[in-house]
Amino acid sequence: MAPLCLIKKEGVEMGLFIQQIVNGIALGSIYALIALGYTMVYGIIRLINFAHGDIYMLGAFVGYFALTTYKLPFGVSLALAMLIPALLGMLIERVAYRPLRKAPSIAVLITAIGVSLLIENLAMLWFSPDPRPFPQIFPLRPLELSGIRVSIPQVIVFITAVILMMALNFLVQKTKVGKAMRAVSQDKEAASLMGIDINRIISLTFALGSALAGAAGVMVGVIYPRIQPLMGVMPGLKAFVAAVLGGIGSIPGAMLGGLIMGLTESLVTALISSTWRDAIAFSLLIVILLVKPTGILGKSMREKV
Amino acid sequence: MSETNLLEAKCVTMNFGGLTAVANLSFELKKGELVGLIGPNGAGKTTVFNMLTGVYSPSFGTIHLEDELISKLPPYRITQKGIARTFQNIRLFNQLSVTDNVRIAFHTRKLYPIYNSIFLTPNFFKQERAIADDTKALLSLLHLEERAEDKACNLSYGQMRRLEIARALATGPKVLLLDEPAAGMNPQETEELTALIALIREKFDLTILLIEHDMTLVMKLCERIMVLDYGIQIASGTPLEIRQNKRVIEAYLGEEV
Amino acid sequence: MTLETKQKKPDGYLMLFLALLILSVNLLLISGKMPAYYKGILGFAGINIILAVSLNLINGITGQFSLGHAGFMAVGAYVSALISIYLKWPLILALLLGAVVAALLGIIIGLPTLRLKGDYLAIATLGMGEIIRVVLLNLEITKGARGLTAIPRSTSIYLVELVAFITVIFTVNLMRSTHGRALLSIREDEIASEAMGINTTFYKVFAFATGAFFAGLAGGLFAHLMGYIAPKNFEFMRSIEILVMVVLGGLGSITGSIVATIILTILPEALRSFSQYRMVLYSGLLIIMMLFRPQGLMGTKELQVREVFRLFGFGGGKNV
């Protein structure tokens, strides 16, 4: 255990370790926001929505244009960066996934990949493939707490993510719509017999998931101020890994998985090397799949023979 | 173990988490016997089949086939040793033809090395011809020859159940486990099935264990019946004894015997 | 309906037609009249056919959802390229060794992960492909992101064609045997397959390793055709491209894979005149294709010349 050895050594390295935990939590809350969309969509229609990472990219661009071109305040920009992706998510579901609800799952998966490619390539066409600097809204001056630096953007990202996740949790656990969502993910047919409009609930699920991804897009712009059309590919894959890690279909699982992913990445970057970071993320995935395929918080299902 | 015992289960128990599906069940099948396994829904009958065929490994207890311990073997090994089954919730290879469904089941009995199929050796043609002939014979025995080239998913319910039996027979079993072979059949089909089971038993020298809710079929065919309720064996005996057994009638209260 | 099993075997007309096609293409090649640009496309089409048919063996025939085919391709490419550069062994040996290493890796990865089902297996294989790519990026000997240069360009189009031909024959012959049927039965119902006495673990690993072997061969051919390889040639998107070819052709249909591969290799080239709209069109067509024909061009059937005539004759064709 490399981290533990470091603590024993010197204060400086111990500080570095805690510093990486702070960075990891900020990064992890972004992963968690994206992972939520994957997990909700998978939970309800068993689809790995490959276009989800690109929705996150669009969120970042909506935020970017709202802040720079239209000079809107941060709160309004964030709201727009959630609203527009939400509408787009619903549109994608309606046009590309709904007609295939009874088709083999691999056909829907390929369609999702097609949608992902389409968004990426349209974005490169419209926004140009070059990276753009995301406007600096919050002062970069870090807050020093006994040697640990916490930057203001990191704090903002963390707090926003927590508020959004609490809101989602409230919606899913306490409201009638949330109950309907849980019912549909358990058994679509039974839910429909109970008078739940399945299509509306699935639409809503896409809207919610996409809104969270859009917010994550703005968050990432706040911490790592560079955005470009392909920025969604890797974080998308990793957020999906995070969702599987936590137990796909489970909302607390996605949050936990996102945090674990963020922490692992930032610790590996600091302690081993940033080039190995991606390999570690996927190794973690394979280990979890082999030990407990349903993820940390997932429920196992037994096939009836 | 006496020599006539073909299959012997000793104190087998199956736990799923906190639930005991089958508790401390012991029984044996003598060679050539036709035994019925009955009981209300959820009594653990299919779980017994799943343990006998290796789909589940029993939590406790042992299962022997011809004095050989089989309860730790994977399902395909158990099939190769001579236990074949049909499935209650029909599990055919739906997108494949009826012929292919049966040909697949000849896999272990007419096996040739992989390179034979790649290089089309004489042995490949010889074995494939044998598989084709045997498949044809089985299909005609089970009155499926007219649907030989249809996809399995397009068969009628009764035909699907018969295809399941054809497939099980193709593996060359000593013991055949039939899981509700008459479910979903009309009275006439059930009668034909009853005759068919008697026929294949003679022809293939089989020992049969049969789960069935259709009591006419069970009473007509089985020499011995075991009754399971809540995972526990509550009775065992001839059809006549079972018919008069108090505990059996109690267990079935509300259901017809 | 009643022709179901007969339709699974490519017929004589088709063989004749393909033979004539191959012959005429080769005559053009030998005559030296084929522009280098078309030669290049032909080479890629051949390599893609090897990749698509071998992935079809895993995904379409055995029903194991793999998203890591580019990873096996990468292993074959790097191993064979390194052998050619440093050991200077003959091409055939380099290619075979690369393929064997890819197959071994397939076995090592397949044994534990093939217990997983459906989407979970897909994610695990995706992860595996990414790990391979990151390893290639970080190793000293693979020269990281810069990749390997100066690989002898010793592959000819004829060799690519030959390997593609062998891959197809291998798969078709396998499909017609008891071993091929065992693979199909796993796709249809793994529990029933096991109940028929089929060692499903063995056959899944066999399919995975064989698929990896041919992907490795394709990788080796690619390396020795291009003369240059880098990890970016084997990204996740490469696996997706191959998968799209297989699904578009129809899972389980060998001729479907071949037809879809040829279309999908030529299409992006044909769209080159639209330059920047090229990928937009490609992805748009992909979505439309899946929406209107989710079972792929061929479904699980094989292409037959007779059927093609009938298709044109009746205008509509049959449903699956």
Side-chain angles (χ1 to χ4, degrees):
Chain A
M1 293 298 284
L4 289 177
C5 308
L6 281 172
I7 296 172
K8 277 186 207 147
K9 275 201 243 158
E10 279 173 66
V12 187
E13 288 188 341
M14 162 109 175
L16 175 79
F17 175 64
I18 295 183
Q19 184 67 58
Q20 288 310 322
I21 289 192
V22 171
N23 295 346
I25 289 174
L27 180 63
S29 41
I30 293 174
Y31 281 141
L33 282 178
I34 313 174
L36 281 168
Y38 275 115
T39 226
M40 282 166 27
V41 166
Y42 192 90
I44 218 153
I45 58 169
R46 304 274 174 274
L47 164 70
I48 305 175
N49 182 14
F50 267 100
H52 195 62
D54 304 297
I55 298 275
Y56 146 87
M57 173 272 293
L58 283 178
F61 272 91
V62 171
Y64 169 83
F65 287 115
L67 287 165
T68 55
T69 315
Y70 299 101
K71 305 253 183 316
L72 296 170
F74 179 73
V76 180
S77 304
L78 179 62
L80 274 178
M82 292 176 71
L83 182 70
I84 294 174
L87 293 174
L88 196 77
M90 285 164 75
L91 180 76
I92 291 170
E93 189 274 327
R94 181 72 195 79
V95 175
Y97 303 154
R98 193 176 298 177
L100 288 171
R101 205 160 291 159
K102 291 208 167 61
S105 65
I106 193 164
V108 199
L109 188 84
I110 300 281
T111 312
I113 290 165
V115 172
S116 163
L117 284 177
L118 187 66
I119 299 176
E120 282 162 21
N121 287 292
L122 283 176
M124 284 200 272
L125 213 57
W126 290 334
F127 309 146
S128 102
D130 306 319
R132 294 158 186 253
F134 201 83
Q136 303 275 302
I137 322 131
F138 303 104
L140 274 179
R141 186 179 49 83
L143 308 169
E144 289 248 356
L145 295 164
S146 59
I148 313 300
R149 285 190 208 170
V150 183
S151 75
I152 293 176
Q154 283 178 331
V155 176
I156 304 260
V157 163
F158 182 70
I159 291 175
T160 316
V162 169
I163 292 173
L164 287 173
M165 286 190 244
M166 276 164 62
L168 178 75
N169 208 41
F170 177 80
L171 187 87
V172 173
Q173 296 299 333
K174 302 279 186 236
T175 64
K176 214 175 158 189
V177 177
K179 206 180 265 178
M181 281 174 67
R182 283 182 287 146
V184 174
S185 74
Q186 289 268 320
D187 187 336
K188 274 206 256 325
E189 253 169 66
S192 134
L193 289 174
M194 296 298 125
I196 295 170
D197 182 350
I198 309 273
N199 285 333
R200 222 192 87 221
I201 295 299
I202 293 175
S203 245
L204 185 77
T205 308
F206 271 86
L208 281 175
S210 306
L212 294 176
V218 176
M219 300 291 107
V220 92
V222 168
I223 315 188
Y224 310 99
R226 264 159 72 91
I227 61 170
Q228 47 101 359
L230 294 182
M231 65 185 270
V233 180
M234 255 300 147
L237 279 181
K238 284 186 198 157
F240 179 67
V241 170
V244 175
L245 209 63
I248 197 144
S250 152
I251 288 178
M255 300 179 191
L256 182 67
L259 271 182
I260 294 176
M261 193 65 149
L263 283 171
T264 319
E265 282 210 345
S266 80
L267 287 175
V268 168
T269 307
L271 300 171
I272 304 172
S273 133
S274 68
T275 44
W276 284 101
R277 194 183 57 198
D278 294 355
I280 301 293
F282 287 105
S283 310
L284 198 66
L285 166 82
I286 290 182
V287 170
I288 278 285
L289 282 177
L290 293 180
V291 177
K292 193 166 184 293
T294 48
I296 300 170
L297 298 179
K299 289 191 190 76
S300 74
M301 273 180 289
R302 186 183 274 278
E303 191 179 3
K304 193 166 161 50
V305 180
Chain B
M1 187 191 283
S2 78
E3 266 186 33
T4 47
N5 279 354
L6 186 59
L7 186 75
E8 192 170 292
K10 262 189 235 155
C11 309
V12 288
T13 298
M14 189 71 229
N15 295 321
F16 295 116
L19 183 92
T20 303
V22 173
N24 217 8
L25 178 72
S26 297
F27 67 89
E28 61 283 319
L29 296 181
K30 292 189 172 47
K31 195 170 173 349
E33 257 191 321
L34 205 168
V35 178
L37 180 60
I38 66 169
N41 286 323
K45 303 183 297 287
T46 298
T47 306
V48 172
F49 273 24
N50 284 338
M51 286 190 289
L52 291 177
T53 54
V55 174
Y56 300 151
S57 182
S59 314
F60 304 104
T62 55
I63 300 166
H64 285 85
L65 177 73
E66 292 179 318
D67 289 332
E68 190 186 346
L69 182 71
I70 58 164
S71 40
K72 291 273 180 269
L73 294 179
Y76 79 95
R77 294 284 296 143
I78 294 181
T79 307
Q80 289 170 0
K81 298 255 176 236
I83 300 182
R85 74 179 291 182
T86 64
F87 292 93
Q88 179 191 349
N89 49 338
I90 304 174
R91 280 178 170 269
L92 293 170
F93 306 121
N94 278 325
Q95 298 303 313
L96 305 181
S97 71
V98 170
T99 303
D100 278 345
N101 266 272
V102 179
R103 289 203 293 175
I104 285 166
F106 277 109
H107 181 76
T108 48
R109 283 207 289 165
K110 301 262 191 306
L111 196 58
Y112 46 84
I114 292 175
Y115 75 85
N116 278 0
S117 44
I118 307 302
F119 298 109
L120 303 177
T121 62
N123 188 40
F124 161 79
F125 289 107
K126 192 182 129 217
Q127 296 285 6
E128 281 295 322
R129 201 166 305 126
I131 291 174
D133 292 345
D134 292 357
T135 299
K136 219 168 178 180
L138 258 183
L139 287 181
S140 88
L141 183 72
L142 286 143
H143 311 300
L144 286 165
E145 68 268 53
E146 287 187 358
R147 312 224 50 180
E149 300 306 322
D150 290 343
K151 272 191 192 176
C153 59
N154 292 333
L155 296 182
S156 77
Y157 213 70
Q159 288 169 334
M160 284 186 182
R161 293 237 175 254
R162 289 209 301 277
L163 180 53
E164 281 248 344
I165 295 175
R167 221 172 46 166
L169 289 174
T171 65
K174 295 170 186 142
V175 181
L176 180 63
L177 310 178
L178 299 171
D179 200 345
E180 299 197 24
M185 285 187 174
N186 63 36
Q188 197 211 330
E189 281 177 315
T190 307
E191 204 167 304
E192 285 167 12
L193 179 78
T194 313
L196 190 70
I197 293 174
L199 176 76
I200 57 169
R201 176 194 186 188
E202 267 323 286
K203 197 170 158 70
F204 296 96
D205 195 19
L206 289 172
T207 305
I208 298 177
L209 180 64
L210 167 125
I211 295 176
E212 188 49 67
H213 283 298
D214 186 307
M215 285 306 143
T216 9
L217 185 145
V218 174
M219 294 299 166
K220 203 164 173 179
L221 275 177
C222 301
E223 285 117 32
R224 192 154 64 83
I225 296 173
M226 295 187 288
V227 190
L228 224 55
D229 192 23
Y230 291 109
I232 295 163
Q233 187 176 351
I234 57 168
S236 169
T238 64
L240 194 70
E241 287 165 359
I242 294 298
R243 228 192 274 263
Q244 291 157 347
N245 187 306
K246 256 205 177 129
R247 284 190 69 184
V248 176
I249 295 166
E250 255 169 53
Y252 267 97
L253 206 65
E255 291 192 43
E256 298 162 47
V257 179
Chain C
M1 226 44 256
T2 51
L3 288 168
E4 212 66 66
T5 46
K6 281 178 195 143
Q7 281 170 6
K8 278 184 193 141
K9 292 159 193 160
D11 64 359
Y13 293 110
L14 181 72
M15 288 302 184
L16 194 68
F17 175 75
L18 283 179
L20 282 175
L21 191 75
I22 294 169
L23 191 70
S24 48
V25 168
N26 282 326
L27 281 176
L28 202 63
L29 259 177
I30 295 166
S31 71
K33 292 228 173 75
M34 188 179 276
Y37 173 63
Y38 290 109
K39 266 197 206 167
I41 297 177
L42 199 63
F44 287 134
I47 288 172
N48 283 339
I49 286 175
I50 303 169
L51 288 167
V53 170
S54 58
L55 184 64
N56 204 344
L57 184 67
I58 301 173
N59 266 17
I61 296 168
T62 319
Q64 305 302 304
F65 200 161
S66 168
L67 284 178
H69 220 49
F72 294 127
M73 188 191 175
V75 171
Y78 271 88
V79 170
S80 65
L82 288 171
I83 290 174
S84 291
I85 294 172
Y86 293 108
L87 302 177
K88 307 212 162 40
W89 286 6
L91 176 66
I92 298 296
L93 275 181
L95 289 178
L96 280 179
L97 208 67
V100 167
V101 173
L104 286 177
L105 195 72
I107 294 172
I108 293 168
I109 292 166
L111 270 175
T113 51
L114 284 167
R115 282 187 299 143
L116 302 168
K117 298 215 171 8
D119 292 342
Y120 287 107
L121 178 63
I123 307 153
T125 50
L126 184 162
M128 171 216 78
E130 284 301 301
I131 292 171
I132 292 176
R133 193 178 58 83
V134 176
V135 169
L136 293 176
L137 269 174
N138 282 285
L139 285 184
E140 198 69 29
I141 192 166
T142 56
K143 305 250 163 63
R146 280 170 299 149
L148 293 175
T149 49
I151 306 165
R153 298 180 63 175
S154 44
T155 301
S156 70
I157 305 264
Y158 305 109
L159 186 62
V160 175
E161 277 182 25
L162 179 71
V163 177
F165 184 72
I166 291 172
T167 313
V168 172
I169 293 295
F170 177 95
T171 314
V172 168
N173 284 356
L174 186 71
M175 282 273 281
R176 288 172 164 187
S177 74
T178 193
H179 305 287
R181 289 193 296 269
L183 298 177
L184 284 168
S185 75
I186 295 172
R187 176 188 80 190
E188 293 293 314
D189 189 326
E190 202 174 325
I191 287 173
S193 172
E194 187 96 359
M196 297 302 115
I198 290 164
N199 183 349
T200 54
T201 312
F202 167 80
Y203 277 102
K204 284 196 285 184
V205 174
F206 168 74
F208 211 61
T210 312
F213 178 87
F214 284 113
L217 265 185
L221 288 169
F222 176 77
H224 291 83
L225 194 69
M226 298 291 291
Y228 162 76
I229 48 170
K232 70 172 183 339
N233 297 127
F234 310 103
E235 279 179 344
F236 169 60
M237 263 319 291
R238 189 76 180 98
S239 296
I240 295 295
E241 265 172 46
I242 308 163
L243 180 68
V244 166
M245 290 167 185
V246 174
V247 176
L248 215 57
L251 281 169
S253 167
I254 306 296
T255 41
S257 286
I258 298 172
V259 172
T261 303
I262 294 172
I263 294 174
L264 285 176
T265 312
I266 295 172
L267 186 70
E269 299 300 329
L271 291 175
R272 211 170 263 283
S273 47
F274 297 92
S275 66
Q276 46 185 345
Y277 295 97
R278 185 167 75 116
M279 284 309 289
V280 175
L281 279 172
Y282 174 85
S283 46
L285 283 174
L286 186 63
I287 299 169
I288 292 167
M289 179 72 205
M290 288 332 288
L291 284 178
F292 290 100
R293 214 173 150 76
Q295 73 275 44
L297 288 171
M298 302 298 304
T300 54
K301 298 205 180 91
E302 295 298 348
L303 181 69
Q304 302 221 297
V305 174
R306 244 175 285 143
E307 296 292 317
V308 175
F309 285 143
R310 221 166 79 183
L311 204 79
F312 286 117
F314 291 107
K318 310 162 299 164
N319 44 356
V320 175

